Amino acid sequence: MLRPRVLHAPGPRNEGPAVSRECCGPDDAAPDPVDADAVAEHEEVPPWWRDRSLALPVASGLLWATGLILQWIGLEIPALVVFALGLAAGAWTFVPGTLKRLFTATGRGRLGVGLLMTIAAIGAVALGHIGEAAALAFLFSVAEALEDRAMDRAQQGLRALLSLIPDTARISRLTGEETIPAADVRELDVLVVGAGERVATDGVVTSGRSWVDTSAITGESIPIEVAPGDKILAGSVNGTGTLSIEASADGRDNSLTKIVHLVEQAHANKGERARMADRIARPLVPLVLIAAVLIAAFGFVVGDPSTWIERALVVLVAASPCALAIAVPVTVISAIGSASKLGVVIKSGAAFEELGTIRRVAFDKTGTLTRNEPRVVATHISNDHTEAEVLDLAAALEATSTHPLAQAISAATPTRLEAVEVQELPGHGLSGTVEGRRVRVGSPRWITPHGLTTQAAELADQGMSIIVVEVDDQIGGIIGIRDELRPEATEAIAALHDQGISTVMLTGDNARTAEAIAAQAGIDEIHAEQLPEHKAERIRASTAQVPTVMIGDGINDAPALASATVGVAMGVSGSAAAVESADVAFTGTDLRLIPDALAHAKKGRGIMTANVVLALAIIVVLFPLALFGVLGLAAVVLVHEVAEVVVILNGVRTARSKRRIYPSDARDGSTPSSTAPVKASDY
């Protein structure tokens, strides 16, 4: 079985636990770490049709199907040969690893469904049922290969995180400016960051003023004003001014590399969680082995070893997890396929199992609960001006700016006045002349909104960013801009509460904005001004109490997504790091997918549990009947085949799913909108 590649951020770190995608417990040692340069050269996970790790499972399935055809037309010897080849192809993906762990691992790490499948296959071969053994090997090898593929794809998100660090940085020396590799930046170096450049490491502004886009780190949609003394994070994008920044962290050990390590560590921890089949197999394996040995030994005691050895082998087949091997994969595959039609891409069976247990949903704000499109929400004017005039004058100055607030103002008015002599004061705002009038547009810290201070405070309390417009040295008005709540968010939150699921918001935005959005949406709990590591800590604390989903779309959400019981990324607008760190991705942005997906997973988990109970019941019933010779091998195999058919029919019921009709759908007479089709190669 393939072992996933574990990527480490450069610089000092605490080693996390070993990652395991094996079926039977953690590995003895983690794979060798890879540095940042190796990350950049890391080969991408290929599409499934070119993935070599799927070659043996696919070959095993094709050979098994060919053997069934040959057997059906009466060619027994060729069928036997093809079955044997199929068995060898499938078994090669898990038997060597299972045997290695059996002799090298300790405690329960030796046990698992892989060992039980190996024993069942050996027992079936010993009794001449090679076709049955080939079927078991095929089913199990496919399930394991898909799990390994999901983990390998998760590692790709780390490259997206590290890509935010620029290759080089300009350092101010006594002899002048010098360009060096970003990794060579040391604490107390003074960085010179020009307009539009990324900051190479964490630091404190020593000179200059500007607006800085920190959305990749904090998730805050609106750039923040920075001045001497303000802290700034690695990966932030500078606006129009030039900044001098004293580094407070080395280039290899900053907030971005910390995010990489958090994601890596969370994936390692998640890799140790046993799946349902493993939890069942661990106590079952030793019981079956002990029973088989005792039965064979009893034959020697009573002087009839051949009869009791054969019964021991029949018991092994009776206790083989044929239906159990199918119970979970069939249900999961059907449910995942059905979910994709709803616009929900579930990347692994383990994620689907966990999704059905969720009791709390944590949301990022920007781009998840909100549109990530700041808009003009309110305008207050002085007595001598109109709203249209204030917006037109502000838009004239903002026409050439790429600042999100400028774009919001421009979008709020169709009129396009021409401004001349426009000057930008980094970190403050703009000034210029529009139709002969002197106009200034900027923050309340630059232009005091005399006469409108009460209104400005009220807008700020509602979570808005304030722009003050001054005309001919007099206050013309104030403009309130906010990233608005998605229209379906309130319905989605209400639907979650109806299911008994609590909600929490984690955001890098300020407390005022967070409280305003949470009040609109009906969210239970709020945590504002959270850095990525803070979000991850809160998610870990939450998952320790109840199964928790984290939903986000930005690079800053990646550690929290990876730390949650299940991480969900908003796939259309989400960053590559968020999508790859998550266990589930949405192909659309309709938040009502969340309660629908959780309800679908809960239903699927119920069907899966019923299948597992049936599979175990078959083993419990067949075991004594095989032990006392009531049923021979043929009867045992027949019962297993019937059970498999029942399990399959029950499992495919999860393929039936549909979107819930919400009040807003009923009002406008529409049905839930379909989402874009999902390509199989995407995940």
Side-chain angles (χ1 to χ4, degrees):
M1 179 164 298
L2 296 178
R3 179 174 300 209
R5 298 173 285 278
V6 177
L7 310 178
H8 289 282
R13 64 187 183 276
N14 296 321
E15 297 296 340
V19 175
S20 172
R21 300 306 298 164
E22 306 287 357
C23 59
C24 307
D27 301 322
D28 295 331
D32 294 333
V34 181
D35 63 18
D37 294 331
V39 171
E41 299 174 358
H42 184 273
E43 182 180 353
E44 290 194 12
V45 178
W48 62 268
W49 61 86
R50 289 195 287 111
D51 192 343
R52 294 181 180 179
S53 67
L54 295 176
L56 285 177
V58 170
S60 176
L62 293 175
L63 289 168
W64 175 62
T66 302
L68 291 178
I69 295 173
L70 293 174
Q71 191 177 59
W72 181 66
I73 62 178
L75 300 176
E76 295 293 337
I77 300 300
L80 188 64
V81 173
V82 172
F83 278 143
L85 292 174
L87 170 61
W92 186 256
T93 66
F94 66 90
V95 171
T98 297
L99 295 178
K100 178 183 176 181
R101 284 190 305 278
L102 186 61
F103 294 105
T104 61
T106 58
R108 291 190 174 186
R110 300 180 180 183
L111 309 179
V113 71
L115 180 57
L116 195 55
M117 295 296 293
T118 301
I119 294 169
I122 292 173
V125 170
L127 295 174
H129 287 263
I130 298 180
E132 182 84 4
L136 292 176
F138 161 59
L139 289 168
F140 191 65
S141 65
V142 167
E144 290 296 290
L146 292 177
E147 288 291 327
D148 284 344
R149 179 177 170 82
M151 177 58 88
D152 277 351
R153 285 204 57 93
Q155 304 300 328
Q156 288 188 358
L158 301 182
R159 290 198 306 282
L161 297 172
L162 291 175
S163 67
L164 291 179
I165 300 177
D167 295 330
T168 60
R170 284 190 291 157
I171 305 297
S172 178
R173 308 285 194 196
L174 293 176
T175 55
E177 291 185 7
E178 179 183 348
T179 300
I180 65 173
D184 292 342
V185 174
R186 295 294 177 262
E187 189 175 354
L188 301 182
D189 281 346
V190 177
L191 285 70
V192 179
V193 183
E197 294 180 349
R198 286 192 181 274
V199 181
T201 192
D202 303 334
V204 177
V205 177
T206 57
S207 67
R209 288 178 176 271
S210 186
W211 295 92
V212 178
D213 180 1
T214 63
S215 59
I217 313 303
T218 66
E220 189 167 350
S221 58
I222 298 174
I224 61 173
E225 180 184 349
V226 293
D230 290 335
K231 293 181 180 179
I232 195 166
L233 300 174
S236 301
V237 180
N238 186 22
T240 54
T242 297
L243 298 174
S244 293
I245 302 170
E246 183 180 281
S248 58
D250 291 346
R252 291 179 175 268
D253 187 20
N254 53 52
S255 54
L256 272 179
T257 57
K258 184 181 293 184
I259 293 177
V260 173
H261 177 57
L262 287 171
V263 173
E264 176 195 57
Q265 191 174 51
H267 278 307
N269 291 337
K270 189 172 289 188
E272 294 183 347
R273 296 176 185 169
R275 290 168 296 169
M276 183 181 292
D278 290 324
R279 293 195 296 272
I280 294 169
R282 284 177 178 173
L284 185 60
V285 169
L287 291 177
V288 171
L289 287 175
I290 292 171
V293 170
L294 291 177
I295 292 169
F298 180 75
F300 287 96
V301 172
V302 299
D304 189 7
S306 61
T307 297
W308 289 96
I309 289 175
E310 181 176 349
R311 285 191 184 181
L313 292 175
V314 174
V315 164
L316 279 177
V317 175
S320 70
C322 301
L324 182 61
I326 297 175
V328 174
V330 166
T331 307
V332 167
I333 290 171
S334 298
I336 289 177
S338 177
S340 69
K341 297 176 183 177
L342 299 177
V344 180
V345 179
I346 303 174
K347 298 185 184 180
S348 69
F352 173 76
E353 291 182 34
E354 298 283 6
L355 198 60
T357 68
I358 297 303
R359 305 308 307 156
R360 178 176 297 160
V361 176
F363 293 90
D364 170 53
K365 182 186 74 68
T366 305
T368 303
L369 285 170
T370 64
R371 298 176 180 272
N372 200 17
E373 298 173 0
R375 297 181 179 184
V376 173
V377 178
T379 305
H380 292 286
I381 56 174
S382 66
N383 294 331
D384 300 330
H385 300 277
T386 65
E387 288 188 12
E389 181 184 13
V390 168
L391 287 172
D392 291 345
L393 292 173
L397 290 184
E398 301 282 14
T400 59
S401 175
T402 58
H403 194 287
L405 296 185
Q407 296 173 10
I409 292 172
S410 297
T413 175
T415 305
R416 291 293 178 263
L417 302 179
E418 185 177 351
V420 296
E421 300 176 356
V422 177
Q423 293 183 336
E424 180 168 359
L425 280 73
H428 289 309
L430 300 165
S431 64
T433 302
V434 182
E435 295 186 338
R437 288 181 287 183
R438 298 187 308 277
V439 180
R440 287 201 303 164
V441 176
S443 71
R445 286 189 288 179
W446 184 39
I447 307 172
T448 303
H450 297 296
L452 296 174
T453 53
T454 301
Q455 292 89 331
E458 290 175 353
L459 296 184
D461 288 339
Q462 295 173 36
M464 299 185 199
S465 296
I466 312 301
I467 295 296
V468 183
V469 181
E470 181 186 83
V471 184
D472 291 331
D473 300 324
Q474 300 295 321
I475 299 301
I478 58 174
I479 301 171
I481 300 174
R482 184 171 62 196
D483 187 9
E484 286 291 85
L485 187 71
R486 292 185 185 276
E488 77 281 2
T490 302
E491 285 184 327
I493 301 301
L496 289 172
H497 291 163
D498 289 343
Q499 295 179 24
I501 297 173
S502 61
T503 54
V504 60
M505 181 203 298
L506 303 176
T507 178
D509 269 353
N510 61 75
R512 279 180 171 178
T513 302
E515 289 170 0
I517 292 296
Q520 281 185 273
I523 298 233
D524 299 325
E525 186 179 340
I526 312 161
H527 297 284
E529 300 175 4
Q530 301 286 295
L531 290 176
E533 57 266 33
H534 301 151
K535 290 184 179 182
E537 288 170 4
R538 291 199 179 275
I539 290 297
R540 283 194 294 270
S542 179
T543 55
Q545 298 173 356
V546 293
T548 302
V549 153
M550 172 65 193
I551 302 173
D553 78 322
I555 288 175
N556 61 296
D557 300 318
L561 290 170
S563 300
T565 307
V566 178
V568 177
M570 304 295 282
V572 169
S573 59
S575 70
V579 173
E580 298 295 356
S581 297
D583 306 293
V584 178
F586 291 166
T587 61
T589 58
D590 190 338
L591 289 173
R592 294 173 299 182
L593 285 171
I594 300 164
D596 289 349
L598 295 181
H600 176 65
K602 185 175 181 180
K603 172 187 174 184
R605 185 177 173 84
I607 292 174
M608 185 192 312
T609 302
N611 274 347
V612 169
V613 170
L614 175 61
L616 291 177
I618 295 297
I619 294 175
V620 170
V621 171
L622 288 182
F623 187 90
L625 296 179
L627 173 63
F628 295 109
V630 176
L631 294 180
L633 181 62
V636 167
V637 171
L638 177 62
V639 173
H640 270 298
E641 296 298 336
V642 172
E644 289 170 17
V645 172
V646 173
V647 163
I648 290 172
L649 292 177
N650 192 36
V652 297
R653 290 197 300 118
T654 57
R656 298 196 298 269
S657 64
K658 60 182 180 179
R659 292 287 306 274
R660 171 181 172 179
I661 304 297
Y662 288 87
S664 59
D665 298 320
R667 283 195 299 271
D668 60 21
S670 64
T671 56
S673 58
S674 60
T675 54
V678 182
K679 295 186 292 183
S681 62
D682 286 344
Y683 295 96

